[in-house]
Amino acid sequence: EAQVTQNPRYLITVTGKKLTVTCSQNMNHEYMSWYRQDPGLGLRQIYYSMNVEVTDKGDVPEGYKVSRKEKRNFPLILESPSPNQTSLYFCASSFFRGETQYFGPGTRLLVL
Amino acid sequence: SQQGEEDPQALSIQEGENATMNCSYKTSINNLQWYRQNSGRGLVHLILIRSNEREKHSGRLRVTLDTSKKSSSLLITASRAADTASYFCATDAKMEGGSEKLVFGKGTKLTVNP
């Protein structure tokens, strides 16, 4: 089944404890992206990747890192999480930038 | 208006009625997409309409695009309770400086009452 998977789905952590949210797609998509969704603010792009080893900042990259060592994986790293990073995170992929995006199920993160 | 701004923010209708949501944007676009999100879950793609297209259909969905007015509408006909969700437009926008990006609106929350 074509899909985007994210893990974990739910995470409670404390300020400063490094964490990684994994994202994987099995559709051979070139483009992958991370978004965060907050009430009243809609979806905001954190980072995106046009292809392997090519990543770039979105609208709200501060406090996040990403890597794209393999085409299928695009992990999101929070080196030192803070409470303002409490949010619902989505990974998405598409064949190319600007085309139909396929979203993962979301990761709900709470930083205490 | 912002790039990709939906209107209304919330819409409540009875089952069987039609639901219309609008999206306005500011810059030139390559395409405009509509997505649906059930509460707290991932977005699901509904329709993509390119800038040279004016209308597209998919089942009970009808999307129109008016590039002269920089607006799009999503019509859901004969709505069902299962259509209750938030609907987002996303514009593949041509930004200042020549860059291009996919920008999501804040969504219309549709409630279909049985």
Side-chain angles (χ1 to χ4, degrees):
Chain A
E1 180 190 353
Q3 60 182 347
V4 178
T5 56
Q6 292 178 229
N7 282 293
R9 296 287 314 281
Y10 304 90
L11 181 59
I12 301 174
T13 190
V14 295
T15 298
K17 187 176 180 183
K18 180 179 178 180
L19 65 93
T20 299
V21 184
T22 64
C23 172
S24 183
Q25 51 93 5
N26 63 0
M27 295 169 278
N28 202 35
H29 285 167
E30 303 272 327
Y31 184 88
M32 297 186 74
S33 182
W34 276 102
Y35 297 90
R36 61 178 288 175
Q37 185 177 31
D38 303 288
L41 297 177
L43 253 70
R44 294 179 293 168
Q45 190 179 52
I46 303 170
Y47 267 96
Y48 64 92
S49 169
M50 301 281 271
N51 210 330
V52 175
E53 300 292 2
V54 180
T55 64
D56 209 345
K57 296 177 181 178
D59 297 315
V60 288
E62 294 78 21
Y64 304 95
K65 283 176 60 176
V66 293
S67 68
R68 186 95 180 272
K69 295 191 173 74
E70 306 164 282
K71 197 171 190 178
R72 63 184 295 131
N73 296 325
F74 190 44
L76 179 69
I77 303 154
L78 283 71
E79 295 266 0
S80 183
S82 62
N84 66 10
Q85 292 178 298
T86 291
S87 188
L88 178 57
Y89 291 87
F90 290 104
C91 179
S93 71
S94 59
F95 280 108
F96 302 111
R97 190 212 61 74
E99 294 298 312
T100 298
Q101 300 238 324
Y102 294 81
F103 281 79
T107 295
R108 197 170 287 278
L109 173 65
L110 172 62
V111 183
L112 300 173
Chain B
S1 64
Q2 300 178 41
Q3 182 72 9
E5 185 173 312
E6 293 92 343
D7 170 64
Q9 291 185 354
L11 179 61
S12 181
I13 60 174
Q14 296 300 122
E15 211 166 21
E17 294 180 339
N18 295 341
T20 300
M21 288 158 267
N22 303 297
C23 173
S24 59
Y25 57 91
K26 293 167 72 174
T27 69
S28 297
I29 62 171
N30 296 311
N31 66 60
L32 186 145
Q33 304 169 33
W34 284 93
Y35 290 82
R36 165 198 168 120
Q37 182 183 34
N38 289 87
S39 180
R41 304 183 72 170
L43 279 72
V44 175
H45 179 257
L46 297 175
I47 285 186
L48 182 153
I49 185 165
R50 301 199 183 276
S51 60
N52 61 353
E53 297 176 305
R54 291 298 166 256
E55 188 170 314
K56 245 182 159 175
H57 297 256
S58 176
R60 293 183 296 111
L61 306 180
R62 173 178 166 248
V63 168
T64 61
L65 178 64
D66 187 335
T67 52
S68 66
K69 294 181 179 177
K70 290 186 166 57
S71 68
S72 173
S73 67
L74 169 66
L75 168 68
I76 304 174
T77 59
S79 64
R80 305 166 181 166
D83 294 328
T84 294
S86 290
Y87 292 82
F88 294 86
C89 72
T91 51
D92 185 31
K94 302 175 185 179
M95 312 301 286
E96 287 181 15
S99 66
E100 296 174 325
K101 64 186 294 186
L102 191 66
V103 180
F104 284 83
K106 295 179 182 177
T108 291
K109 188 168 185 177
L110 173 66
T111 301
V112 181
N113 301 299

